[in-house]
Amino acid sequence: MEKNELKPHLKKQWCISRMTGEFIARMEQILWLYNQPYDPKYPVICFDERPCFLIGDKVDPIPMRNGKVKKEHYSYEKNGSCVLLMAIEPLTGKRFGKVYKQRRKQEYADFMLELSLLYSDAHRIRLVQDNLNTHNSSSFYQNMEAEKAFELTQKFDFYFTPKSASWLNMVEIEFSALSKQCLSDRIPSQEELEKRVMAVIKDRNDKKVKFKWQFTKENARDIMHKSYNQILTKT
């Protein structure tokens, strides 16, 4: 075996999605949606949630100094967890996030109600999200009176990403930015995490950081043409 042929210190991850008619149908619907011109009456909002583990230091870290990196002891303590619910409007750079202790239908309904109030002038909010069991209008009916739940349901058009295709949801880009700026740090309490997350969100809102999606359904048909043909020949 040649020297350095194996590289156990390096690794790559991937997710193999099963290319079905349902996968392609959902993917093309979202790709079409991302290619639509901006319409304030029908804003496109990307939503998801991220679990956050609360980690404290058993030994105080060594602070950063000029020319030196921050150093922390390998030992740490677990202080439970919480969850960050996040929504972003890619074409305007508007983002909205809230930190909750738990991830339930109640928190989802609460978040969507606040989101609808932020977009009170919109006719319908076109919401891109995954297939989590809380991510549907049943959460509204289980946590508010029927009339209010119905009104909130009428505010949204749900666009669900295919299974194992979170890359289609632009809010994942925002989570990546938040992770680099604060979420990957050791944060011991929900209060401290919320403070830091909201500071980053405010900064990015002030800067109006926008996302422009480049991958189109035409690109998908070209790159994934074998999968399209395989599905077509099964009929």
Side-chain angles (χ1 to χ4, degrees), residues 21 62 85 132 193 203 231:
I62 300 175
L85 272 61
L132 205 60
L193 184 138
D203 178 65
I231 293 169

Side-chain angles (χ1 to χ4, degrees), residues 133-196:
N133 64 336
T134 59
H135 294 177
N136 57 73
S137 55
S138 68
S139 296
F140 306 158
Y141 282 90
Q142 291 179 230
N143 290 281
M144 57 188 71
E145 295 297 326
E147 186 60 33
K148 189 174 182 180
F150 180 80
E151 290 178 1
L152 186 57
T153 300
Q154 301 313 300
K155 190 71 175 180
F156 291 96
D157 287 328
F158 294 142
Y159 291 78
F160 293 102
T161 59
K163 292 182 179 180
S164 303
S166 60
W167 57 273
L168 278 167
N169 193 334
M170 279 193 268
V171 77
E172 298 299 331
I173 303 172
E174 189 68 13
F175 280 143
S176 178
L178 283 167
S179 181
K180 292 176 182 178
Q181 296 193 49
C182 66
L183 292 181
S184 61
D185 295 345
R186 290 183 183 178
I187 302 178
S189 68
Q190 180 177 330
E191 293 74 19
E192 178 64 21
L193 184 138
E194 184 172 11
K195 178 181 177 181
R196 294 187 59 179

Side-chain angles (χ1 to χ4, degrees), residues 197-220:
V197 166
M198 293 306 125
V200 175
I201 289 176
K202 182 181 183 305
D203 178 65
R204 292 174 65 79
N205 270 336
D206 291 343
K207 293 177 180 177
K208 297 182 179 179
V209 180
K210 305 174 185 178
F211 302 141
K212 177 62 177 176
W213 191 259
Q214 301 294 327
F215 191 67
T216 66
K217 67 179 187 295
E218 288 73 26
N219 296 142

Side-chain angles (χ1 to χ4, degrees), residues 91-115:
L91 292 181
T92 64
K94 295 179 183 177
R95 50 198 34 84
F96 171 59
K98 287 195 71 174
V99 177
Y100 296 93
K101 186 173 181 60
Q102 300 182 68
R103 180 202 71 79
R104 302 171 300 177
K105 289 191 172 186
Q106 179 179 335
E107 283 73 30
Y108 176 80
D110 171 77
F111 186 90
M112 289 303 152
L113 177 58
E114 290 202 41
L115 184 64

Side-chain angles (χ1 to χ4, degrees), residues 6-183:
L6 300 178
K7 300 179 180 180
H9 60 293
L10 300 177
K11 69 175 180 179
K12 292 184 178 180
Q13 289 183 326
W14 73 94
C15 179
I16 301 177
S17 301
R18 185 183 176 192
M19 298 298 290
T20 64
E22 180 182 9
F23 183 101
I24 289 177
R26 290 189 176 189
M27 176 184 67
E28 286 215 345
Q29 190 72 5
I30 290 175
L31 294 179
W32 168 84
L33 182 65
Y34 286 165
N35 198 43
Q36 297 306 299
Y38 173 66
D39 186 344
K41 295 299 182 182
Y42 295 91
V44 176
I45 310 292
C46 297
F47 164 82
D48 203 359
E49 51 192 65
R50 183 188 190 279
C52 302
F53 297 99
L54 304 173
I55 303 296
D57 288 299
K58 288 186 176 180
V59 178
D60 290 339
I62 300 175
M64 288 186 294
R65 293 180 296 178
N66 289 337
K68 302 291 183 180
V69 299
K70 178 182 177 181
K71 297 179 180 179
E72 59 185 24
H73 196 270
Y74 76 93
S75 182
Y76 61 88
E77 59 183 2
K78 298 179 180 178
N79 297 327
S81 64
C82 56
V83 62
L84 169 63
L85 272 61
M86 187 81 202
I88 179 168
E89 186 181 4
L91 292 181
T92 64
K94 295 179 183 177
R95 50 198 34 84
F96 171 59
K98 287 195 71 174
V99 177
Y100 296 93
K101 186 173 181 60
Q102 300 182 68
R103 180 202 71 79
R104 302 171 300 177
K105 289 191 172 186
Q106 179 179 335
E107 283 73 30
Y108 176 80
D110 171 77
F111 186 90
M112 289 303 152
L113 177 58
E114 290 202 41
L115 184 64
S116 71
L117 296 176
L118 290 175
Y119 287 86
S120 58
D121 292 335
H123 293 326
R124 302 276 288 192
I125 296 171
R126 297 184 285 187
L127 189 74
V128 176
Q129 58 182 352
D130 66 14
N131 301 273
L132 205 60
N133 64 336
T134 59
H135 294 177
N136 57 73
S137 55
S138 68
S139 296
F140 306 158
Y141 282 90
Q142 291 179 230
N143 290 281
M144 57 188 71
E145 295 297 326
E147 186 60 33
K148 189 174 182 180
F150 180 80
E151 290 178 1
L152 186 57
T153 300
Q154 301 313 300
K155 190 71 175 180
F156 291 96
D157 287 328
F158 294 142
Y159 291 78
F160 293 102
T161 59
K163 292 182 179 180
S164 303
S166 60
W167 57 273
L168 278 167
N169 193 334
M170 279 193 268
V171 77
E172 298 299 331
I173 303 172
E174 189 68 13
F175 280 143
S176 178
L178 283 167
S179 181
K180 292 176 182 178
Q181 296 193 49
C182 66
L183 292 181

